[in-house]
Amino acid sequence: MRTRAAVLTDFDSPFLVGPIDLAEPGPGQLVVRMTAAPFCSTDWMGWRAMRRKVPPVVLGHTAVGVVEHLGEGVTGLAPGDRVVVAGTPQCGECFYCGIGRPDQCSVLMDQGDPVVAALPDGREVRAAGRVGAYAERMLVQRIQVHRLPEGLSDETACLLGCGVSTALGAVFRIAEVQPGQSVAVVGLGHLGLWAVQGARLAGAGLVIGIDGHPGRRELARALGASDTVDSARHDPVASVQALTEGRGADVVIEAAGPALATRQAVLMARRAGTVVLAGVAHSATEVELPQLQLTVHGKRILGCQNGQIRPDVDMPRWIGMLGSGELDASPFITRRYALGEIDTVARRSMALDDITGVLTA
């Protein structure tokens, strides 16, 4: 099946935008025509060889689109259905799905990026995150596809499988933020800003947004942050302690990525507090932490692959919150781009010019 895609053939180089030959859908697979896909830090890091991707590869780990073709055994969907394709599948059969942790589903974590197409010269093309969103058509599995209701725009819905699910999962499912708690959010990109909204909706008494970018701090205040800290001018650990009577925050959500941000997130949590680590700077990054913080101080330090969500339960919840207006997506979509403008959106994302750029086919 001939279609068009933006293929990463060499790291840190322009994408090859042109034809690919997509494989026909096999059992449990379907073809979805992409209508909207967000570009975020995960994608430009993949572009810069920071995510262990193997070119040629189509980046993009979530998208919204329309079902076109169904493989054998696919049920519950029909051609013409509008769907969100999420980067975290839920096979329901592996060890991790069996213990209620589909965020670690073996289909994603153990099988890697599948070969889904070929370039005209015969080179195999992989799909990043088992999605490969930056293409006119995607070959994906039924276990990562969710039907969308009417009334939610494609551009808004495409944010579900990335910042929305990760940030809200961090707040509600991992940290289990309680009314009145203090929450510090380190890093105010699209992930951190969604976490600010989530903390506000959870009833946090104090929501502290931390970032060196003045525009991001201003947006965080508009989205519900009660306080912000300029991490370029002030020590964020000392600032959070000053705002919490010297204790530190009840919950810290790290959404920046650098090793320093991870260290600061752990240090700014109070004793017996909770730290959720969502940012990753590089697949090879290592973090050095004071041992006392990990033992005597009794802090809970938890990872956050896609918010540890259960897609079958949580995805309908987030869809409902976006549809009802509880979650405001309007500040997140900075610009819209055609597929052929992917080099521009990659550079703008890396330069922090966009909160989220949305690509359309």
Side-chain angles (χ1 to χ4, degrees), residues 5-350:
V7 182
L8 175 65
T9 55
D10 294 291
F11 294 119
D12 251 338
S13 298
F15 288 84
L16 176 62
V17 180
I20 61 172
D21 293 309
L22 198 68
E24 294 296 324
Q29 295 181 322
L30 60 153
V31 173
V32 176
R33 176 174 53 82
M34 186 272 281
T35 56
F39 197 101
C40 83
S41 59
T42 297
D43 303 304
W44 69 253
M45 287 178 180
W47 175 54
R48 299 197 66 194
M50 300 167 72
R51 281 292 188 270
R52 296 181 178 175
K53 296 302 173 186
V54 180
V57 60
V58 179
L59 300 179
H61 53 280
T62 185
V64 163
V66 177
V67 175
E68 285 195 341
H69 306 286
L70 302 176
E72 181 184 348
V74 174
T75 60
L77 291 172
D81 285 347
R82 200 166 64 105
V83 296
V84 57
V85 182
T88 297
Q90 185 175 10
C91 74
E93 298 176 354
C94 72
F95 171 83
Y96 293 98
C97 286
I99 63 171
R101 289 294 304 273
D103 63 292
Q104 298 296 315
C105 179
S106 291
V107 171
L108 176 67
M109 295 297 188
D110 298 329
Q111 296 182 20
D113 295 339
V115 173
V116 297
L119 288 166
D121 63 10
R123 283 181 292 169
E124 294 181 331
V125 178
R126 299 179 182 273
R130 308 190 71 82
V131 178
Y134 304 147
E136 291 180 345
R137 288 171 178 80
M138 303 166 282
L139 177 64
V140 296
Q141 292 184 276
R142 175 66 178 91
I143 57 176
Q144 61 191 111
V145 175
H146 308 268
R147 188 198 301 269
L148 285 170
E150 297 297 325
L152 197 62
S153 74
D154 291 354
E155 294 172 347
T156 295
C158 78
L159 307 178
L160 280 161
C162 183
V164 174
S165 56
T166 300
L168 267 63
V171 170
F172 291 103
R173 183 169 283 283
I174 304 176
E176 298 180 313
V177 173
Q178 300 299 306
Q181 283 190 316
S182 57
V183 178
V185 179
V186 182
L188 298 173
H190 76 135
L191 178 56
L193 290 168
W194 282 116
V196 165
Q197 281 204 76
R200 174 182 57 80
L201 289 172
L206 189 66
V207 181
I208 307 167
I210 302 162
D211 202 292
H213 192 294
R216 302 287 175 95
R217 294 196 304 276
E218 181 180 355
L219 185 51
R221 287 190 290 271
L223 292 170
S226 53
D227 298 88
T228 58
V229 174
D230 182 354
S231 56
R233 297 182 58 190
H234 303 287
D235 179 352
V237 176
S239 298
V240 169
Q241 290 171 339
L243 289 166
T244 55
E245 301 179 354
R247 289 189 302 274
D250 298 317
V251 173
V252 181
I253 297 174
E254 188 282 310
L260 177 60
T262 299
R263 179 183 171 88
Q264 291 173 335
V266 173
L267 294 178
M268 71 178 61
R270 64 162 168 81
R271 295 194 303 276
T274 297
V275 182
V276 181
L277 303 178
V280 178
H282 192 290
S283 58
T285 296
E286 295 187 1
V287 180
E288 183 176 310
L289 295 171
Q291 192 175 45
L292 198 67
Q293 298 281 330
L294 307 179
T295 55
V296 176
H297 289 184
K299 299 181 182 183
R300 299 170 64 237
I301 302 174
L302 304 166
C304 182
Q305 149 49 20
N306 202 29
Q308 294 187 15
I309 70 167
R310 290 183 54 189
D312 59 342
V313 174
D314 294 315
M315 196 65 77
R317 181 185 182 188
W318 312 148
I319 290 171
M321 292 171 76
L322 280 170
S324 70
E326 287 181 89
L327 289 171
D328 181 10
S330 58
F332 289 83
I333 303 171
T334 313
R335 286 180 63 178
R336 296 151 180 85
Y337 301 86
L339 186 61
E341 298 177 289
I342 190 167
D343 292 317
T344 299
V345 68
R347 289 192 296 269
R348 284 181 56 85
S349 178
M350 188 169 57

